[in-house]
Amino acid sequence: MYGINQRCIYISFHFFVLWCHAQGENHPSPNFNQYVRTQGAVTDQLSRRQIRVYQLYSRTSGKHVQIQGKRVTATAEDGNVYARLFVETDTFGSRVRIRGAESGRYLCMNRKGKLVGKSTVHFLHGNGKDTYLADITKIVLENNYTAFQNAKYEGWYVAFTRKGRPIKASRTRENQREVHFIKRLHTGPPPFPNTDQSKHFEFIQFPSTRRAKRNRKSRTSS
């Protein structure tokens, strides 16, 4: 009788272990990549918006990206005023907005993948008929180049031809040379007009006060 009870306990425990294992298989493991992608797109409304200033060197054209009015090309020389870009971000991830420092226009992409500079834009929540989206995802590639993908339409990249003309984003791929860029510092004039690096430091002499004269006389008399 004791042996039969022991066997029943063993069989019951075995079935319990199998049931727990089956329950674990029914719950799939969480998608960590999806979690990172979702949290990276969350807007940080508490911290200050980060703004970086640099140029984007196109691997294909050998020139820099410039936003000149509505035209967006990759034909600017190093240090060109229109090649100076403000790269803004207010999220925890790599989503940015590129704005021309001289023109004040954002680098935008419409639903057809056309690049254009716009002063009034819609961000990722915009749903207009001809919405120009300014949100771009910055991706650092394995070859150390940087690609800029449309934040709404995955697989659409900012790209330029050898002559610096924009390419329709729907025809681009990540492994194409046309979508590869290098971030470079702007070597143009300083941002503030009163900055003069060649001017030497000068001492300013103020007239002596009565107290200073009195202390000087006391020192000489002693």
Side-chain angles (χ1 to χ4, degrees):
M1 190 70 181
Y2 176 76
I4 296 176
N5 293 335
Q6 190 175 8
R7 290 181 59 185
C8 292
I9 295 174
Y10 175 78
I11 294 173
S12 301
F13 178 76
H14 184 69
F15 277 110
F16 177 75
V17 173
L18 292 177
W19 179 79
C20 292
H21 184 70
Q23 291 295 323
E25 290 182 349
N26 292 334
H27 296 282
S29 58
N31 190 343
F32 187 72
N33 293 331
Q34 180 65 30
Y35 176 80
V36 172
R37 191 181 300 110
T38 303
Q39 292 299 317
V42 174
T43 302
D44 183 9
Q45 299 180 355
L46 299 178
S47 304
R48 296 175 57 186
R49 182 176 57 180
Q50 297 182 0
I51 300 178
R52 299 190 65 185
V53 183
Y54 51 76
Q55 301 177 119
L56 287 179
Y57 176 83
S58 173
R59 182 183 182 185
T60 307
S61 67
K63 304 290 184 179
H64 297 82
V65 177
Q66 63 176 353
I67 305 176
Q68 195 170 11
K70 293 183 178 181
R71 294 183 58 192
V72 180
T73 59
T75 57
E77 297 291 343
D78 186 17
N80 189 298
V81 292
Y82 290 99
R84 186 165 173 261
L85 305 175
F86 290 154
V87 182
E88 309 171 357
T89 178
D90 57 358
T91 64
F92 296 106
S94 56
R95 198 175 71 191
V96 298
R97 298 161 189 160
I98 301 175
R99 178 166 56 92
E102 184 69 19
S103 63
R105 291 175 175 264
Y106 285 91
L107 189 152
C108 301
M109 188 183 300
N110 65 359
R111 291 185 175 182
K112 296 181 180 180
K114 180 181 177 182
L115 292 179
V116 64
K118 298 283 289 185
S119 57
T120 304
V121 298
H122 296 277
F123 298 132
L124 196 58
H125 57 273
N127 294 316
K129 184 177 181 180
D130 194 21
T131 299
Y132 286 87
L133 186 66
D135 291 292
I136 299 174
T137 303
K138 181 177 64 175
I139 304 174
V140 179
L141 305 176
E142 294 181 357
N143 55 5
N144 296 325
Y145 284 95
T146 303
F148 295 89
Q149 181 182 235
N150 189 296
K152 185 175 182 180
Y153 302 104
E154 187 174 353
W156 287 19
Y157 295 89
V158 176
F160 297 91
T161 64
R162 291 185 178 180
K163 295 183 178 181
R165 299 174 182 173
I167 301 176
K168 198 172 182 180
S170 58
R171 302 174 182 174
T172 59
R173 297 294 183 271
E174 183 179 305
N175 57 353
Q176 294 176 343
R177 294 170 56 93
E178 289 79 2
V179 307
H180 296 171
F181 300 92
I182 297 177
K183 295 181 290 185
R184 301 181 64 186
L185 293 176
H186 191 269
T187 59
F192 301 103
N194 59 348
T195 304
D196 188 1
Q197 300 292 341
S198 61
K199 187 176 180 181
H200 298 284
F201 180 79
E202 297 179 357
F203 290 95
I204 301 177
Q205 296 182 356
F206 293 95
S208 301
T209 60
R210 294 181 179 179
R211 185 175 182 180
K213 291 180 180 179
R214 196 182 311 119
N215 294 336
R216 194 179 305 166
K217 291 180 179 179
S218 62
R219 290 177 183 176
T220 54
S221 60
S222 60

